[in-house]
Each structure stands twice: as C-alpha cells, then as structure tokens.
Amino acid sequence: MDFINQTGWTDFVPVVDDDAARFLQLILQIKRPKNILEIGTSIGFSAVTMALTARQYGGNITTIEFDKTAAEHADMNFKRSGVDDIIPIELGDARQIVPGFSGNSFDLIFQDVSKRLYPVLLKDCIRILKAGGVFMTDDALFPVMELDPKYHDQVEPICEFNRLVAASKDLESTLLPIGDGIMVAVKKQQ
Ligand SMILES: C[S@@+](CC[C@H](N)C(=O)[O-])C[C@H]1O[C@@H](n2cnc3c(N)ncnc32)[C@H](O)[C@@H]1O
C-alpha cells in the first residue's frame, strides 16, 4: 500500500506490512464484519487500513493500546485519515480490557499485540467472538523465520499460541505466509 511509504509510518514502529494490510482489507470486503476488535493499535496503521474498508459498509473498530504516546499518534492518524468517528480507542492493558467484553461481541478480531499475550488472551478472544466470526493474528510465522535476536523471546509464546489454535475445538484455522505470517481462524457455529 503506497500509504505506508507516503506517511513514513514504518520508519518509527513496527506495523503490518503491505501484503498483510491488503489481506486485511480483502477479508473485510469479503466478510463485511460490523464490529471489529483490534488488539495492539500502535500508531494506528492497521486500524486505518481496516477502517478505510469498514466505513464503506458501516463497520466500526474498537482498538486497544496501553502506550499513551502511541495512542495519541493513532488518534492523530485517525483524524487525518477521516476515520476517527468509527475507531474508538481503548487506552489500557489488553489483559484487563479483553476479559471485560461480553461474549459474542465481535464479528472480527485482529490481534497484533505483545506476542507473550497471544496464548494468554486466546480463551477470551474465542469467547468474545461471534459464531462464524473471524480471528486473525499477525506474526504467526515468527517461529520459522530468521529473526533479529531481539525477537527471539517472542518465538515460544507464538509456538504455544499456534498449537492451541490448531487444537481448539472452537476454531477452524490455517496459517498463511502473508507478511510475517497470519493465522486466520473462524469460530465454529455450535
Ligand atoms: C506491533 S504493534 C501494533 C501495530 C499495529 N497493529 C499496526 O500494524 O499498525 C503492537 C502494539 O501493542 C501494544 N501493546 C503491547 N502490549 C500491550 C498490552 N498488554 N495492552 C495493550 N497494548 C499493548 C504496543 O504498545 C504496540 O503499540
């Protein structure tokens, strides 16, 4: 997406890459999820990416970030992109916020937060996702990539998460080699 290069956002923090951004927009176009949850806003690149598609059909995105400075940048980017009216930011720790959502609240969840939280948040992500809802997680292929050593401690939690998702009786899932790997799952109809 030219957007990344135009804004220079990637110069300053890790955000989803072009292919992952395009894939998010494609899934939104296919599925048209009304209530979207993003866990891990950063400066709002993936949220804006999704919002540009979601606003076409009346969707909205709740996004969670605990870093106040990042959230302020995100808010600025939402306003600049004209999507602030459909992206409420929840400022706080996902470990506290996610368990507080009611069951079956979201049509799509995109998780791109601290990798150590992936296995920790999984049960709640399944609980708050509607049946038939889509669950996507970025960086799922870290375990098979050549990574900068600073990311090595993120490999084990992602391995654990991938195993838990594959074994879940509530999810149909697959791992796609898009960007740094996207785990895509659908919550089964009970
Ligand atoms: C990889 S970045 C998100 C990038 C964003 N999805 C994008 O592509 O534009 C991960 C973000 O999660 C935030 N984060 C990490 N742990 C968190 C937690 N426990 N609660 C809320 N946010 C957290 C970090 O501050 C960081 O901004």
Side-chain angles (χ1 to χ4, degrees):
M1 186 184 283
D2 292 341
F3 197 50
I4 293 182
N5 294 329
Q6 282 166 13
T7 59
W9 284 8
T10 49
D11 292 344
F12 114 72
V13 282
V15 296
V16 295
D17 73 4
D18 281 10
D19 290 334
R22 247 188 296 275
F23 183 69
L24 287 176
Q25 290 191 321
L26 190 67
I27 291 292
L28 263 60
Q29 278 169 23
I30 294 168
K31 186 76 180 164
R32 298 169 78 85
K34 182 103 174 64
N35 296 318
I36 297 168
L37 175 66
E38 176 180 72
I39 312 174
T41 319
S42 183
I43 55 170
F45 176 69
S46 52
V48 168
T49 298
M50 290 191 283
L52 292 174
T53 300
R55 74 171 173 195
Q56 295 167 15
Y57 60 80
N60 64 81
I61 302 164
T62 300
T63 185
I64 303 173
E65 175 58 58
F66 72 175
D67 182 304
K68 198 162 176 286
T69 308
E72 281 167 6
H73 278 285
D75 190 44
M76 204 173 65
N77 287 324
F78 298 160
K79 290 191 170 95
R80 193 175 61 172
S81 304
V83 290
D84 52 307
D85 56 325
I86 60 163
I87 316 184
I89 305 180
E90 292 268 356
L91 183 62
D93 194 321
R95 281 168 292 198
Q96 266 95 56
I97 294 171
V98 172
F101 290 121
S102 305
N104 307 311
S105 295
F106 295 100
D107 302 291
L108 183 143
I109 298 174
F110 175 57
Q111 178 176 237
D112 186 19
V113 71
S114 160
K115 311 312 159 199
R116 281 185 294 281
L117 293 195
Y118 282 12
V120 175
L121 297 178
L122 178 59
K123 266 194 189 151
D124 272 312
C125 284
I126 294 172
R127 181 183 61 78
I128 65 179
L129 190 62
K130 291 180 191 167
V134 177
F135 181 34
M136 294 195 284
T137 298
D138 197 30
D139 304 321
L141 286 177
F142 268 17
V144 294
M145 292 169 61
E146 268 187 39
L147 293 174
D148 188 305
K150 71 181 176 196
Y151 295 119
H152 282 176
D153 63 340
Q154 305 189 1
V155 168
E156 187 41 45
I158 294 176
C159 282
E160 185 190 351
F161 172 77
N162 288 345
R163 278 194 297 269
L164 290 169
V165 168
S168 171
K169 61 176 180 24
D170 298 311
L171 300 172
E172 293 284 359
S173 64
T174 192
L175 271 171
L176 299 177
I178 296 172
D180 292 334
I182 299 185
M183 188 286 300
V184 186
V186 174
K187 182 171 172 179
K188 292 179 189 169
Q189 311 277 351
Q190 297 303 325

